[in-house]
Amino acid sequence: MNPAIAKPNNQLNNQQEQNNLYESDLNLWLETTIDQLKAGDLHNLDIINLIEELEGLAGRDRRELKSRLRTLLEHLLKRCYVDMPREFNGWERTIREQRRQIRDILKQSPSLKNIWLTNFDEVLEDALDEVRQEAGYKSVTFPDTWQFSRDLEVILNTDFWDEN
């Protein structure tokens, strides 16, 4: 058999094997893919699933940033507008942790700062919905809009409750 004719068949079999590995053992697939990339073996690389994984990673980071921003805003809203001094310490601890995690995410992926501005209103709306639905805060009047700076550095470094 002519090797030139057999090669596409081998490529097809290799792609099927890679796809089967991807479906059956993600960790082994990742290790194999990393080894292929390090070796420059782009010919046998499972490109379709690699793209899918990379897109998933990008989406995961965006979702995590939005989730942490939502939690941060929820706790900032509670700390600024709910008069429950016994809860202040817990809310402030959560605020510090969310700020720390957001800084870490943005340090690793500075381009995600764009997510901050483009999603701020949506995330604030979600945070407001959440705090307004909590049983203990039904009598609290939360503002419909963010009353403080939206600047990333300001939100990550300012104790807004000290300004009220």
Side-chain angles (χ1 to χ4, degrees), residues 26-105:
L26 181 60
N27 188 62
L28 182 57
W29 176 88
L30 285 168
E31 290 175 3
T32 301
T33 300
I34 290 167
D35 289 344
Q36 288 172 326
L37 286 167
K38 286 179 178 178
D41 183 11
L42 305 181
H43 184 70
N44 291 311
L45 201 57
D46 182 2
I47 298 289
I48 293 168
N49 288 319
L50 179 58
I51 290 169
E52 183 177 319
E53 285 301 311
L54 292 173
E55 288 173 339
L57 284 173
R60 181 201 67 196
D61 290 346
R62 287 189 296 270
R63 285 187 303 277
E64 182 177 358
L65 180 60
K66 286 174 65 174
S67 175
R68 292 198 178 277
L69 175 57
R70 183 178 307 107
T71 301
L72 174 60
L73 293 179
E74 285 173 21
H75 286 78
L76 285 169
L77 287 164
K78 289 187 236 184
R79 182 59 184 88
C80 289
Y81 297 102
V82 178
D83 187 22
M84 294 178 145
R86 291 177 49 193
E87 303 295 329
F88 290 173
N89 188 47
W91 294 333
E92 290 174 20
R93 190 173 34 245
T94 299
I95 290 166
R96 286 190 304 273
E97 179 59 20
Q98 295 309 308
R99 286 173 167 169
R100 190 171 15 262
Q101 293 295 329
I102 289 169
R103 279 189 205 98
D104 288 348
I105 292 168

Side-chain angles (χ1 to χ4, degrees), residues 1 3-17:
M1 178 182 268
I5 296 172
K7 193 169 187 174
N9 227 3
N10 288 342
Q11 287 176 341
L12 182 58
N13 288 337
N14 186 40
Q15 181 62 39
Q16 289 170 338
E17 289 172 16

